[in-house]
Amino acid sequence: MKIDLHTHSTFSDGTDTPTMLVANAQKAGVGVVALCDHDTFDGLSEAMEMGRRIGVRVIPGIEISACSGEDSVHLLGYGTDIHNADLLGELSKCLKSRQERIPQIVSKLTEEGIKISVEDVQEKAAGNSIGRPHVADAMVAAGYVKHRNEAFEKYLAYGKPAYVGRYEIPVEKAIDLVHSAGGAAVLAHPLIKGRGENISTEIIEKLTLENGLDGIEVDHPDQDNVSRDLLRQLGHRLGLMRTGGSDYHGTGKIGHALGSETTRHSALQGLVTRIRSHGGKISVL
Ligand code: AMP
Ligand code: MN
Ligand code: MN
Ligand code: MN
């Protein structure tokens, strides 16, 4: 039975509804799955309901848009209280900023001769965590690009003509918020290539010693073996939980099949212990 601690649903930029996601997890031999939509908990109740129905354990998760100085970092929160007012307050700033940049991206695309409307993009997002993948989906629907990846490579990625930044929570603050909400904080894919989702080992060490970071995601499809080895050693030295997950986005990301990357049972148990130590309630394994 596999443990996959990083997946997305239609409540952010995945293409499976939470119900489909949990059903597909079971088909892929995943018995424990964490739904970690970007900046929102909205898909969790549906996922947990489906999990109870078919016997898949769903861990409540989130992938928070954070930053370290100028760099974007993604922080996974596990087992947090999804009604915590402070955390929800900061997340609402992220969600507002996600909404506000869509017209800016659309107008940059217009300058590039790509005629899609804000409504075309809104239509592609089921929840309020809207992002560049939904812009890409609107571009695919209008026939400008073949898939999301092409839209990112030509227009939407950092440094490309239609790139627009957005609000991100300083990562130290994001860790504190996760802890105050009773959760464990794990840095997502710390060493994948390209701007936006990268962080130095010195900063990981600082976040561990000064902010009590709980873990790092070692096994992720976009992290090569050299990075994984480095993270495994660093995590061991710092006493961090070392997790793995597919970062499944349904058909929205190629090479991220459910259960393709996994977390060891002992690491999940360690994470549960951390969650309890932060005051979170999570059922026994
Ligand atoms: P945003 O949330 O608007 O900043 O967009 C970032 C999201 O886009 C990430 O969470 C990824 O899921 C997705 N993404 C980034 N690069 C690509 C790519 N080349 N192809 C498909 N999806 C991507
Ligand atoms: Mn995503
Ligand atoms: Mn990420
Ligand atoms: Mn993700």
Side-chain angles (χ1 to χ4, degrees):
M1 186 209 62
K2 294 176 179 176
I3 302 169
D4 186 338
L5 292 189
H6 189 163
T7 70
H8 295 271
S9 78
T10 44
F11 280 85
S12 64
D13 55 2
T15 61
D16 284 5
T17 62
T19 301
M20 287 158 63
L21 168 76
V22 176
N24 284 331
Q26 189 169 55
K27 279 189 206 139
V30 173
V32 182
V33 64
L35 174 60
C36 301
D37 275 318
H38 298 284
D39 303 325
T40 183
F41 295 117
D42 290 352
L44 282 172
S45 59
E46 183 185 323
M48 294 182 90
E49 169 61 31
M50 182 61 173
R52 275 189 293 272
R53 199 180 315 153
I54 67 171
V56 171
R57 183 157 180 228
V58 177
I59 307 260
I62 189 161
E63 185 170 15
I64 299 174
S65 299
C67 60
S68 171
E70 293 285 289
D71 298 319
S72 297
V73 293
H74 288 181
L75 186 76
L76 297 164
Y78 295 108
T80 57
D81 169 12
I82 64 170
H83 302 293
N84 182 277
D86 291 338
L87 179 54
L88 289 176
E90 270 300 305
L91 293 174
S92 73
K93 288 194 211 168
C94 295
L95 295 172
K96 183 162 175 273
S97 176
R98 283 177 170 279
Q99 295 286 347
E100 286 170 354
R101 81 171 166 162
I102 298 300
Q104 299 173 41
I105 296 177
V106 165
S107 100
K108 287 194 170 200
L109 285 172
T110 306
E111 285 170 30
E112 298 297 312
I114 304 232
K115 293 180 182 59
I116 57 164
S117 67
V118 172
E119 292 69 35
D120 294 336
V121 180
Q122 296 282 2
E123 228 173 68
K124 298 292 175 190
N128 56 3
S129 184
I130 196 166
R132 286 173 287 169
H134 305 110
V135 179
D137 290 347
M139 292 168 72
V140 173
Y144 289 106
V145 289
K146 283 197 233 29
H147 38 65
R148 282 185 180 181
N149 199 32
E150 187 183 347
F152 271 85
E153 280 175 6
K154 291 189 175 157
Y155 302 100
L156 302 173
Y158 178 69
K160 302 296 175 183
Y163 176 81
V164 178
R166 61 182 167 82
Y167 176 72
E168 295 163 330
I169 307 170
V171 64
E172 298 81 1
K173 183 172 182 177
I175 294 171
D176 286 350
L177 285 166
V178 167
H179 288 164
S180 302
V186 174
L187 267 187
H189 47 65
L191 297 178
I192 63 173
K193 301 274 176 294
R195 182 207 128 105
E197 291 157 63
N198 222 331
I199 194 160
S200 73
T201 53
E202 288 76 18
I203 293 176
I204 296 175
E205 181 152 5
K206 190 163 176 281
L207 293 175
T208 306
L209 301 178
E210 295 180 12
N211 303 91
L213 179 69
D214 298 290
I216 46 178
E217 192 177 48
V218 172
D219 291 308
H220 182 279
D222 299 337
Q223 256 163 190
D224 62 21
N225 285 335
V226 174
S227 300
R228 293 182 193 205
D229 285 346
L230 198 152
L231 288 168
R232 215 169 271 123
Q233 283 168 26
L234 181 73
H236 185 255
R237 179 164 67 79
L238 297 173
L240 291 164
M241 298 303 127
R242 283 145 282 159
T243 69
S246 62
D247 207 359
Y248 175 73
H249 281 68
T251 57
K253 251 188 187 182
I254 306 149
H256 291 66
L258 270 169
S260 59
E261 303 285 354
T262 57
T263 297
R264 282 174 306 126
H265 192 263
S266 58
L268 177 59
Q269 277 178 321
L271 213 54
V272 168
T273 304
R274 295 285 189 126
I275 291 167
R276 293 221 176 95
S277 78
H278 296 302
K281 294 187 196 75
I282 191 148
S283 58
V284 191
L285 288 177

